[in-house]
Amino acid sequence: MANIDIEARKQELLKEGYTEVYTKTKVLTDAVMHYCPGCGHGTTHRLIAEVIDEMGIQDKTVGVSPVGCSVLAYNYFDVDFQEAAHGRAPAVATAVKRLNPECYVFTYQGDGDLAAIGTAETIHAANRGENITMIFVNNGIYGMTGGQMAPTTLVGMRSATTPYGRRVDLNGYPLRMTELLATLPGTYYVTRQSVQNPGAVRKAKAAIRKAFENQKLGKGLSFVEILSNCNSGWKMTPVAANKWMEDNMMPNYPVGDIKVDGKIAEGIDVNRLVLDHPLTVMQ
Amino acid sequence: MAFKGQIIVDTERCKGCGVCVPVCPVKCLELSKEVNGKGYNYTQTVNDKCIGCASCAMVCPDGVISVYKKQI
Ligand SMILES: Cc1ncc(C[n+]2csc(CCOP(=O)(O)OP(=O)(O)O)c2C)c(N)n1
Ligand code: SF4
Ligand code: SF4
Ligand code: SF4
Ligand SMILES: [Mg+2]
C-alpha cells in the first residue's frame, strides 16, 4: 500500500483547526531504528531525544553509546556521540564532561554493558560523583548476542545460557545495580522507571528530564534505570513481553525514585538491597 | 470538554509490534491485514472515536504516530 503523504496530511489537519499533540522529535534522525519491533530501546531513545529537544540543548549534548543492541544509538540521535568500548561508557563520559563542562553528557547502556563487563566503570564514575547522566536499559538479558544470562537475569528466568532457568546456587543473585549506586555519596539522583504503558512512559520521561537538568547543579551523578522488554531474547510477542515484565521484572526491580536530591527517597527502605528475589516461572 | 482526535501513522515505518493497540482507551486501533514494504502489518484506525490522547504515540518505540486534536 502506498504511504500517504504525511506532511500534506499534517497541514490539512492544522487547516481544519486541529492542534498537534505529538509528533516525532527532530532530535531523532530519520534513520529507521534497527531494534526489533516493540523493543523498549526505541521508546527510551525517543524520550531522551524529546528531553533534549524540550530543554533546547541539542547543540550542547554529547551521548556515549555502549556495546549491546544500542551500539548504533549514534545513528538515531542528531547530537554529538562517542562510541565506547564495551562497558566503558562512564569512563569516556567522564573525560567528555571534564573537558567540556558546559556540555550535557549522557551514557546509554544495557545491563550486560553497565552491570557486567562495565561494573567497575559504573561504580567508580558514580563514586567519583561525575556530573553526568547515565541511562541504564535493563532487559535482564544480553539481547544483542542472542539472549544469554546477564547479572540482572531473574531467578528462574530462562536464557540461552540458563535454559532451565537461572539458579542461585550456580549463577548467583540478580544484581540490583541501581539500589547499589544509591548507597554511594557520589550519586545525586537515582531512579528506576519503565516504558511499557503510556503512564510509565510519561513518568520515565520526567525522570530523564530531571537527570539532565541536574547537570546544571554539578552535584553528582544522575542515574536512570529503565526496565524494558527484550521480546526477541525472551521469545515472546512484544505485548506479552510487556506484560511479563510487569509480572516478573517489577517485583524484583521495584519502579520509582530511590534517591532524590542526594537523599534516599521517602518511603525507600535501604534494606531493599537485600530483598529476596521472587522465583520467576517462564513458560 | 470533549475532543476529537486524528492520528497519522507512518505506515511504511511501522513495525507492526502491536504495543499501541491495547493502550488505546477507545479501541480505535488495529493491525492491518495488508503488509507494508517491509512485510509488517501496520497500525490503522478502525473507527472515528479517537480522542487525541496520544497514548498510542507514547508507547510507540519507533515514533511513527503523530497525534492531533481539536475541541468539539
Ligand atoms: C569485550 C567484549 N566482550 C563481549 C562482547 C560480546 N557482547 C556484545 S553485546 C554483549 C552484551 C549486551 O547486553 P546488554 O548490555 O544487556 O545489551 P542489550 O543488547 O540487552 O541491550 C556482549 C557480551 C563484546 N562485544 N566485547
Ligand atoms: S534483541 Fe532484544 S534488546 Fe535487542 S533489539 Fe531485539 S528486543 Fe531489543
Ligand atoms: S490518540 Fe488516543 S484515542 Fe487516538 S488512537 Fe491514539 S490512543 Fe487511541
Ligand atoms: S507501536 Fe508503533 S511500530 Fe508498533 S504497531 Fe504501533 S505504530 Fe507500529
Ligand atoms: Mg540487556
Side-chain angles (χ1 to χ4, degrees):
Chain A
M1 191 194 103
N3 210 1
I4 53 159
D5 184 340
I6 289 167
E7 279 315 310
R9 179 74 184 130
K10 284 182 178 176
Q11 292 312 318
E12 216 175 272
L13 287 176
L14 293 174
K15 252 187 239 144
E16 287 171 26
Y18 283 91
T19 49
E20 189 171 272
V21 183
Y22 184 88
T23 197
K24 190 172 86 114
T25 165
K26 297 266 182 292
V27 175
L28 287 176
T29 64
D30 283 335
V32 175
M33 292 194 259
H34 69 287
Y35 301 116
C36 304
C39 173
H41 272 305
T43 319
T44 309
H45 280 27
R46 255 187 44 226
L47 299 184
I48 296 169
E50 287 168 18
V51 164
I52 293 169
D53 191 358
E54 287 162 23
M55 286 177 70
I57 56 171
Q58 184 174 12
D59 56 347
K60 290 193 282 217
T61 301
V62 184
V64 184
S65 44
V67 172
C69 278
S70 47
V71 65
L72 301 175
Y74 49 76
N75 280 337
Y76 309 131
F77 290 92
D78 190 9
V79 303
D80 285 340
F81 246 88
Q82 176 63 50
E83 171 61 37
H86 204 358
R88 277 50 172 170
V92 173
T94 296
V96 175
K97 182 69 181 186
R98 288 187 179 203
L99 292 168
N100 305 276
E102 73 291 354
C103 286
Y104 290 81
V105 180
F106 73 98
T107 71
Y108 185 102
Q109 302 171 260
D111 45 334
D113 188 83
L114 182 145
I117 194 168
T119 308
E121 283 73 13
T122 301
I123 289 184
H124 288 294
N127 197 46
R128 291 192 305 270
E130 297 297 340
N131 195 28
I132 57 173
T133 299
M134 291 179 68
I135 309 292
F136 169 37
V137 177
N138 181 4
N139 52 21
I141 208 161
Y142 291 177
M144 183 194 208
T145 43
Q148 293 83 1
M149 186 192 79
T152 45
T153 299
L154 306 178
V155 179
M157 181 173 169
R158 290 177 199 274
S159 71
T161 44
T162 56
Y164 304 106
R166 180 178 186 157
R167 276 168 50 185
V168 168
D169 58 345
L170 201 62
N171 313 113
Y173 291 96
L175 183 57
R176 289 196 186 94
M177 191 54 116
T178 305
E179 276 82 351
L180 197 71
L181 296 178
T183 65
L184 303 175
T187 51
Y188 188 67
Y189 178 49
V190 180
T191 188
R192 179 180 291 116
Q193 303 291 332
S194 63
V195 288
Q196 82 288 12
N197 64 44
V201 167
R202 290 181 201 274
K203 284 187 195 152
K205 181 172 169 184
I208 293 170
R209 172 85 189 229
K210 189 172 174 64
F212 272 80
E213 295 277 0
N214 281 347
Q215 288 196 37
K216 290 181 199 156
L217 306 175
K219 290 196 171 164
L221 192 133
S222 290
F223 190 89
V224 183
E225 173 176 342
I226 306 278
L227 295 178
S228 166
N229 78 65
C230 171
N231 57 78
S232 290
W234 300 355
K235 308 200 187 308
M236 297 174 194
T237 66
V239 172
N242 279 340
K243 169 87 170 61
W244 188 87
M245 185 176 93
E246 285 183 347
D247 294 346
N248 298 281
M249 294 280 277
M250 290 191 177
N252 280 278
Y253 299 113
V255 172
D257 288 346
I258 300 171
K259 190 179 196 180
V260 181
D261 299 343
K263 294 189 191 70
I264 296 295
E266 231 172 283
I268 293 294
D269 179 0
V270 271
N271 289 327
R272 178 152 133 188
L273 268 175
V274 290
L275 256 185
D276 274 351
H277 282 279
L279 180 74
T280 297
V281 182
M282 216 176 189
Q283 302 307 321
Chain B
M1 215 191 292
F3 288 99
K4 176 159 175 48
Q6 292 274 359
I7 64 166
I8 306 174
V9 181
D10 191 343
T11 53
E12 278 307 309
R13 296 173 70 101
C14 171
K15 293 177 182 166
C17 70
V19 299
C20 54
V21 174
V23 303
C24 176
V26 291
K27 308 227 170 331
C28 56
L29 298 177
E30 240 174 54
L31 294 184
S32 64
K33 295 213 166 52
E34 286 168 30
V35 293
N36 64 17
K38 291 233 170 79
Y40 293 125
N41 304 93
Y42 50 86
T43 286
Q44 56 187 16
T45 46
V46 288
N47 56 47
D48 58 2
K49 291 187 198 154
C50 176
I51 51 171
C53 69
S55 290
C56 52
M58 286 301 111
V59 297
C60 175
D62 291 85
V64 305
I65 305 177
S66 296
V67 183
Y68 292 79
K69 73 174 176 185
K70 75 173 171 190
Q71 207 177 313
I72 46 165

